[in-house]
Amino acid sequence: MAAFFNLKIIFSIAAFLSVMFATHSLYAQTDTIQSQVDELQALENRENFSPTINFIDQLNRLGEIYYHRNPDSLYLLAMKSLKASEQISYTAGKVDAYRNIGAYHNLKGEYTQALSYFKEGLSLAEKEEYWLGLANIYNSMGLNDYERGNYSDAVTHYLQALKIKEKHLSKLEQSKTLNNLGLVFMDFGDIEKALAYHTRALKIREAYNDQTGIASSRINIALIYKERGELEEAMSQFEATLELGLKMNNRQLISVSYFNIGELFLLRGANENAYRNFEKAYFVDKEREDLVGIGFDLLGMGEAQLNMNQLHKAKQNIQESLEIFVESDIKSNIDKSHLLLSKVFEKMNDNAQALHHFKLHKLYQDSIVNLETNKQIQEISAKYEFDKKETELLQQQKEKDLLNEKRIAQNIRNGVSIILIILLIAFILAIRSIKVQTKAKALVTKQRNEYEKLNKRLLLQKKENEKITKQLFQVNETKDKIFSIVGHDLKSPVTSLKGLMQYVVDENLDRKEFLLVSKQLRNEVEQVHFTLVNLLNWAKGQMRGIVTDPTTISMHQLVEQNISLNEPISKNKNIEIVDELEENTICYADKDQISLALRNVLNNAIKFTPKGGKIIISSKKAARQGFWEISIQDNGIGMSDEILKNLFSKELGGKQQYGTEGEKGTGLGLQLTKDFIIKNGGEIKVSSKPNNGTTFTFTIPSAYV
């Protein structure tokens, strides 16, 4: 058990290392390190060399790789990086350099010095919002607390790092801190929390296919399962790490996996399987020239052989492992080696040797316990001496302070008197100054307020004038448009009407002739009346706005009325108007407005439909619930896209489009139609193609929803 425990510590340190330096692969190869060193030296040897951000980053990353390999190299590289970063004011480089210097002091056990460097880097990282550097420093501070046994503070710092990573960094970065938290809670003895953190880390690493991270997490999870006595689950995890190690050709990981699988078989009493796995680990460690690892493997092999009564082989392997542990001063494993040798010699009936090794076992066992006890006693004694000296110093200081207080008190009384006199004089002068300033300020404020009031009145007057001017301009523009229509569009039909009437009077026509003339006369009168109605409705809307008075109306009756009104013109052009409205087309709208809109659209269709044409008026339920859709479709000359685009936005009195018989219009009709339809809650649209007819479609609210 002692051997396994030490191996667990070794791998935990490796896990911490993978977190502390995010860019450092746990198993960096020597040739890779040398290539980086050569590259940096080549850069420095250039003429007129000046450090760059890339150069500084490489220095910091190389320093991280040297962590645990060569602490002195880590320190030298960090100091060089710090100097170069200060030279070009590169804050992130300074942060990483301070972290590496702190890591060096951590390795040396100089925790207070390490913490001072971490705090320097922390301050810079917070100011610069260098999130990766900030999180890494919190991780390093957590390791500092962890190694000093301050587990609660370690958890606090790791949680701070995790919070930063969750907000600003990748999931993979988060997994490293989760791994650290798991290790701390393992030392707390809170196995469930440790398992939860390691499991979260494993899921993230699997998602990112981080092979090294997956191996680290699986080994830590396996250690927890073993601690809980769940040997099958532990075995499953170690087998998975072995598979990863073989896939990655990572000899250290292969050795660790074989050894731990051997330990599990040993606990289950499967000594042959245990021996085979210890032996495999032994061959790998021998290839790696890992002397300590070989010691662990030999001890495991010896214990398995002892259990199988292969006593001579067991004695040989355990004695060889003992020599390695004595040389490496690994007391816990020296203790176990002597205990196993005691059992071997006992089975071999060599009681003297058995007793000798048992005594050595007890001696080392007691020394391990006493070592921790002595350490605690030394700490308590040191604290007592420190507190005693601190109390004496405080007492001496207190006596000195009392003497000084008496001298200072007199000086203070004298000083206070002088200060009071000075303050009184200053107060009097200040009061006078304040009075003068207050009067001046009040005068300035009064003048400024009056100016602001006057300015506001002028601005309001200006806005009012602009509003009136705009209204007058609009009224004048409306007046000009009305006169234009009266002068141009009404003048011609009225003159024609006057001429017809004069002809009737002068020629003394008979009944048949009069009937022929009266037909033309009626058309002219109807056209003048229609134009006047549109003009009056438009002018009314311009001046007072469109006011609707909705009521229930039958669209069928309204259509028939308008067909009848337009009958003289339609018959003259031989145009067929077909009513295909549904019988129940009952709407709720302003009757006069909808009638005028319908008449304008129908009049427009007649105007642009050639002789012999056809107009269809139909209705159907609109897609919009509670509305009827009315369509007026003709097979007339149609419109181009340009005309269609500006159909409802023509300027009053602007350029006109003549009908198939030269009919003219004011341009008011369609504008009024759109305004009336919208005012009644509906919509209007037009579809048309040149020489392919036109369809006007508008919606009106239904009387029955």
Side-chain angles (χ1 to χ4, degrees), residues 11 75 103 152 175 245 264 279 290 294-295 359 381 484 587 609 684:
F11 202 87
Y75 179 77
S152 178
S175 73
L264 291 173
E279 189 178 40
D290 181 357
I294 291 168
K359 285 180 179 179
S381 299
S484 174
C587 300
T609 300
I684 186 167

Side-chain angles (χ1 to χ4, degrees), residues 500-557:
L500 280 171
M501 292 177 70
Q502 188 65 43
Y503 177 76
V504 170
V505 172
D506 292 344
E507 297 297 327
N508 195 19
L509 303 175
D510 59 25
R511 180 177 178 82
K512 185 177 180 181
E513 290 173 332
F514 180 77
L515 286 173
L516 288 172
V517 173
S518 65
K519 185 177 179 181
Q520 179 63 28
L521 191 61
R522 180 185 173 183
N523 288 342
E524 293 290 345
V525 170
E526 187 63 37
Q527 186 62 37
V528 172
H529 176 263
F530 184 53
T531 302
L532 281 171
V533 168
N534 275 339
L535 184 61
L536 290 171
N537 275 286
W538 178 82
K540 181 181 176 183
Q542 289 290 310
M543 290 184 285
R544 292 189 299 172
I546 300 171
V547 180
T548 60
D549 182 18
T551 183
T552 301
I553 55 175
S554 169
M555 284 304 297
H556 183 74
Q557 290 180 3

Side-chain angles (χ1 to χ4, degrees), residues 448-463:
R448 187 179 68 241
N449 290 341
E450 289 177 355
Y451 173 76
E452 286 177 354
K453 286 179 182 178
L454 179 61
N455 193 43
K456 284 180 181 178
R457 284 200 297 270
L458 289 171
L459 286 172
L460 288 171
Q461 188 64 45
K462 182 182 177 184
K463 287 180 180 178

